Amino acid sequence: MKLVFELSKQGRASALLPECDVPEALPDAAFRRAEAPALPEVAEVDLDRHYNGLADEAFGVCNGFYPLGSCTMKYNPRINEEVSALPGFSDIHPLQPEGTVQGALEAMATACDLLAEITGMDAVTLQPAAGAQGEFTGLLLIRAYHKAAGDDARTKIIVPDSAHGTNPATASMAGFDTVNVPSNESGGVDLEALRAAVGPDTAGLMLTNPNTLGLFDPNIIEICSIVHEAGGLCYYDGANLNPIMGIARPGDMGFDCVHLNLHKTFSTPHGGGGPGSGPVGCKAHLKDFLPAPIVEKRDGAYALVNPERSIGRMKSFYGNFGVAIRALAYILALGKDGIPEAARTAVLNANYLMSKLEDRYAIPFAGPCMHEFVMDIGPLKEETGASALDVAKRFLDFGMHPPTMYFPLIVHEALMVEPTETESRETLDAAAEAFLAIWDEAHDNAEALHNAPLTTRIGRPDEVRAARNPVVRWMPDARDFGGSDGAKR
Amino acid sequence: MKLVFELSKQGRASALLPECDVPEALPDAAFRRAEAPALPEVAEVDLDRHYNGLADEAFGVCNGFYPLGSCTMKYNPRINEEVSALPGFSDIHPLQPEGTVQGALEAMATACDLLAEITGMDAVTLQPAAGAQGEFTGLLLIRAYHKAAGDDARTKIIVPDSAHGTNPATASMAGFDTVNVPSNESGGVDLEALRAAVGPDTAGLMLTNPNTLGLFDPNIIEICSIVHEAGGLCYYDGANLNPIMGIARPGDMGFDCVHLNLHKTFSTPHGGGGPGSGPVGCKAHLKDFLPAPIVEKRDGAYALVNPERSIGRMKSFYGNFGVAIRALAYILALGKDGIPEAARTAVLNANYLMSKLEDRYAIPFAGPCMHEFVMDIGPLKEETGASALDVAKRFLDFGMHPPTMYFPLIVHEALMVEPTETESRETLDAAAEAFLAIWDEAHDNAEALHNAPLTTRIGRPDEVRAARNPVVRWMPDARDFGGSDGAKR
Amino acid sequence: MGNYLPSTSTEREQMLADLGYESIDDLYAVVPAEARVHDLALPEGLSELELRDRLGAMAAKNTVFRSVFRGAGAYRRFVPALVKTVIAKEEFVTAYTPYQAEISQGVLQSIFEYQSMVCELTGMDVSNASLYDGATAAAEAVFMCQDRKRSTVVVSKTVNPQTIETVRTYCEGRDVEVVVVPMRNGATDMQALAEALDDKTACAIVQQPNYFGVLENTGEIIETIHEAGAKAIVSADPVSLGILASPGEMGADICVAEGQSLGLPLSFGGPYLGIICCTKQLMRKLPGRIVGQTEDARGNRAFVLTLQAREQHIRREKASSNVCSNEALCALAAGTYLACMGPRGLARAAELSCSKAHYLAERLAEIPGFELVWDSPFFNEFMTSCPIDPHALEQGLAERGVLAGLPTEHGILWCTTELNSKTQIDELVDMVRSAVR
Amino acid sequence: MGNYLPSTSTEREQMLADLGYESIDDLYAVVPAEARVHDLALPEGLSELELRDRLGAMAAKNTVFRSVFRGAGAYRRFVPALVKTVIAKEEFVTAYTPYQAEISQGVLQSIFEYQSMVCELTGMDVSNASLYDGATAAAEAVFMCQDRKRSTVVVSKTVNPQTIETVRTYCEGRDVEVVVVPMRNGATDMQALAEALDDKTACAIVQQPNYFGVLENTGEIIETIHEAGAKAIVSADPVSLGILASPGEMGADICVAEGQSLGLPLSFGGPYLGIICCTKQLMRKLPGRIVGQTEDARGNRAFVLTLQAREQHIRREKASSNVCSNEALCALAAGTYLACMGPRGLARAAELSCSKAHYLAERLAEIPGFELVWDSPFFNEFMTSCPIDPHALEQGLAERGVLAGLPTEHGILWCTTELNSKTQIDELVDMVRSAVR
């Protein structure tokens, strides 16, 4: 594929804007740029083909099975795209008078109520733009809570070693130190280690449950108690809510606040890496600290109000509204029966697929699993030389997206498989057959696997070269970017 | 690719419709069907992937060069899709009170006016659904005209031997006999033959100009005169209007009526074979015969009225309205300068591409051509064994759509190439290189060409088998379709 | 001004120079001066922004009704979101007729699937790839039945009048007589039908449910037609076939239908979808494109346009139809719609439409002057009397965002579909009640 | 009720049986009873038809204004039809972050192109793949500048107040001081700025054109910041960069921008697009995803996510940012927008926006009481006084389909873009005139 810049010819353009119908009034030369930006000049027909070509080289849930562990790549219903694009939602200004956006505020309030019910929380904000920002918000709530209580000594956040990297990174952003606690042999939190870790410096615990091994921690209530008894708060990382939504609630487990990834659990599309949405829910004792503004109904009308002791604003306006509309549509469609049914089916599908693989592939922690399971490719690698990377890359040749690779870190050759509930038995069977075929190939000719994928337009890219000699932009001929060999026209 | 029926599992479905909110009231059993139709039962996720898979196996103008002669596969502007989908156009009932559809009627009237100006006609109907139906309409106008004049002897329609098959077929549908006239050595109408053919039985002439060889007939005015002098009318087949729109008008050449293919000249998309739209324009003396209804402005408001001596209705309602909106948008965008500029560029592009090929490939009629040109693969076939089919199929391997094959019939191994104006020089150069490479391949190893295409998912299908033993539908297991081996579940 | 040309004027001049011409006019040398345009009276071209404003303003002048109780051949129905997604895919939208099978399997297979679903729905053996609309499908069906011995056409008065008009126009070219059979109690008059048929009759057309919503005794009608040695053409409502007896099981020779209900918007009357399908005996008379299944040399299943010997580009003046363009994208919509709905979804749509019509009829009957005109069984459309000027009623409702039933010579023709909720119906009844007060 | 499950309950029971379980609850055995939901207080699920009605009713309660004269950080601008087409493509919409480069070249290349265009537009060396929005981009930019010696932040009062608030929230976690510099005649007070900077200052943020539409002397400001040894962060309006001096050429270290103007709808405030780019010296401090060019073993050009050593999944608690999701689809929209517009189209958008604002300002000034609050040069937004209650004016205009400028403590902040035709502006002025009469 050519770069769009490589399609550019001087003077080409589409006729998009009219001539000026008022007297021209432009800024003084002092404010003007010296030369025009070297944006591409391409005719519409060639742009159209360019982006169709790029789309052909993208792979979405619409193209096939996507068992990317921890990412919950479920089907994105088309109706959600349709309703979120309604002009009444998509063409309203965030600073319109409240009286002219009552429907939008109603949608937000409804989404908050439904999410609060699903998580067992008392209040929800839609403002965080993604899970990571939700985590940051949650930790700022915890920080504000302790601060309001005059308790400045609580500087530490406890994080299990199986956690996503965002957890410790977020703790740092929020000014906390991270204390890692190890997993026990069943993959859950080591209670003794936790007891040893908590103390008067404990601000809180961040926990994903089911954890990144796909296991629900049976000690969850005790875990929360231990933290609470030490004076800390418990933060629920909602990345893995999908298998328990409508079945069990973080609030009832003892968590004080929670973030959700609407782009995972609530079926909003991932968009190639965003936009996501990371609403945060909290119990009543944290509600006054929520970021500003939140939606409330007052005297029969919805209004945006600032919580009393708000931690402030996390971003512009009210969050990724368009994403929230999609999630709202999803929850309204599923309703009280559909939500737990989706969760149960996610768990069933994961266990079904795992059962087809466990005779060949090592499953490091005993099941049943929840929505996902981790395979350890270590034994296969030792035996045949085929690594988790090799297995994943070969999986591409079967027209499916590989599982998450090399995560969680506590399993060195991990492949993390999350089928989600929106896959049929036929799809799961086809995936199992592919994995088993690869297992056979590893034993027959592991060398060949190192060259996988074989059927994609490009082979494995040289990532080391990319990082060592970064070429991160196209560069017009006339200029150059430092010492690097920028992509040239 | 599986058939959608092969994805079906009993009981699968999407939750699309609600329960009934009024008392159930259904027809008596006597009116009910014995068993449910065996429609597929497939989940939304699998349907979504199915249709994405089918789309991957379709090739449109959005995917690349499409020089399909006589089809004018120009770029379909995206804005036209957008405006035609506006609820104010797409969600209005054809039988709404006229006061509630003034904008729709205005759009139709505007389109008619613009098309009349471009063709040099006095009135236009948008009713015909496609070019072929436009032809039928035109011939019914001619028939009605002679009938109204009490002239029952005019039973013959003259058609040149280079004409599209629709011309003679239409003449038959309209109750006329067809008289074929041969082409002269320059590819135009043989004037002597025409003079010999006309007479008191001549109802009219159907002519495409430029003709299917891409040649503008220099004798066009004399041709029309000859027919008129014999008492016949002249029908302009608008299939090839693109190179002369805004440059020369059928009305000024002497034609009495004309059809247009909005899906060719006016950039509305072909949709994989329709919907098209075939408006018919006519001079004042035919206006009263136009199909009912047509749009007129009366007392400041638009109204649908039935012409006095209308030939009747060609189809339901007012034509392919949604297609007409796209064409209207196109004409309004191009305007008085853009329309002829598009025509000129279409001609330039055709001549440019022809000039790159004429040293190798035989061009049976001397240029310059108009919007398209015909190559004769006969000499190449004689020399190497590579046929027009072989060349076309090999062209597929270059990621482009082949030219029209084996048409016009007067060139036995014809390839008819129409690049259109919406292709860049780079694209034309790439196409020329592909044709020249194929010419070399034919000389190096013609055998290999017989197996082309090599890079498509399927190779050349067995068309004889398809016609001899027709399997034209999938069949559920339990039933069978006559003696044929219907596709089975 | 737009033009969608990739090449700039500079590039075009260069290309022209490469060709050895000085002016683009040199390429037009053969065009006689008398035919040349001198001052094209078109407006100046518009930028995309202006174009959106201009067309947007026209669209805004049309009323998009909140609720619609009018059908009469065009129906506002539920369209699954997936259908809209599928038919917006550029690969489908911008492709030509699938002549090049090797790169067109997606389009070909979608049509093959459409043909199969149409056969399932109608109970017929063979469907083509579609025609322009229901009315032209009926006219083409007539052409299929005509031969030297039998050429006249009998049509029931209860068939959609636009269909009758279209059949007349098509038959006009060949000077064929079209006999219209009167109706009785809203349905085809059986006795008059039998009398209209004779040994010149090529075929007879009936509609089920008929134009007035009434359920015809299709079986008996077809029997009568067959007894006269003519072919029976049934025009069906495709959604109703979710529960109604199929033309195939009733013995029809040809079934035609307006397919707009299957996932297409109202779009002020077009583009719509002409469904035509027939018994296998008539297969080789079917007009238009047909997709068939075959194999490539490697043994892959493959689809192609087939039975082309029927068509105009081969037969020329001997072809029975000149059709080439079909409504492929509309057929894709219909196929996707049927796949989304499935047998149960389609049945539900039919059931809801029917039940709601009966509820509406009952509720309207509470208002003096709104009686059912006929006591025949009906499906989702029905005719009532109207005690006031129906156009005044229509106008009053229109101002409140509701499109009333269609005023006709017999009364008002009401229609409901799955989109008309009970709330909408009750609201309508209230509006009607206050309108006649 | 929807559920989007392909498997039927029968199939699921069978799968469960295959696994050797009797009940799905067996798989949940580890979940303690106290955490189990007993009666989930959610409404019954809806069919697609009901869902469309329900959400449609909510959407219908919002006013979509015919003309909009309000900006203040969110702009209704022209969006080319092609942009809407591209970002609706399911392959882009439903893909994950492009971890698997071999099947994600389309997404990766689109981001690489986006990064390149952003660099061109801003004059900076390196862009990331995007952040959440302009405000969070500013906050992340602050994090890039902080080290042990220098950690405080200076922000001009003329920066969008939501950006200031967001920076404050982000800095709160690390107890970092945020100093706000006052303004003078609608622009940053240069003397106050110089005084606010000291040897603890990590960076200072200014906005061009600023929140009030006024054009800042960016060059002088950046010089002042650099003289104090701090980094200069410029928040830019990306459309204005079609003609305005780029932050890069003025010497900025980091440029951030709200990218919503580049082809994204207003969407009640999100999703928007956080643009962040910097000098090559700061490249390895840039947060979020970055796409780089490399080759595969066969020598094909290939794109990958690169410089991952910066990111949270590698560095964990040592990462300077926790960002993982970016706004890839919004970046695709922006890249497509910029490719559609090209350098001349973007300049035209900037010129139209600016010219129209000056025309509007002039016309409004004809009405007594609507004077410009400051006499500083402005771009496409400006502040006027208002002789009546601004909310009454807002209300009056809203009833006529026009969204007035934003009422603020300083007056009314008006905005024009290329979408405001002279006709619209004249109409607005007439409405305002009658409102104050």
Side-chain angles (χ1 to χ4, degrees), chain B residues 2 18 33 82 90 93 95 106 117 132 172 243 247 271-273 313 317 341 393 425 462 471 473-474, chain C residues 12 18 28 37 41 52 61 70 74 93 95 100 102 109 116 120 162 169 241 267 294 317 322 326 348:
Chain B
K2 284 190 171 173
R33 60 189 303 150
E82 181 183 319
S90 66
H93 195 287
L95 300 174
E106 178 188 348
E117 173 63 20
S172 300
I247 309 275
R313 168 179 291 285
F317 308 115
E341 191 174 8
K393 292 299 175 191
R425 183 179 187 155
D462 185 343
V471 179
R473 59 167 298 196
W474 166 89
Chain C
R12 295 200 291 273
D18 286 2
Y28 285 104
V37 172
R52 190 181 278 151
K61 285 181 199 159
R70 184 169 296 190
V93 171
Q100 294 290 341
E102 296 85 349
Q109 182 172 331
S116 306
E120 279 301 321
Q162 300 210 1
T169 308
L241 293 178
S267 197
T294 183
E317 60 267 32
N322 70 352
N326 53 42
R348 172 84 64 93

Side-chain angles (χ1 to χ4, degrees), chain B residues 210-216 240 368-374 416:
Chain B
N211 64 20
T212 59
L213 295 161
L215 302 172
F216 190 98
N240 292 350
C369 64
M370 288 277 108
H371 62 302
E372 67 189 359
F373 60 93
V374 170
M416 192 183 188

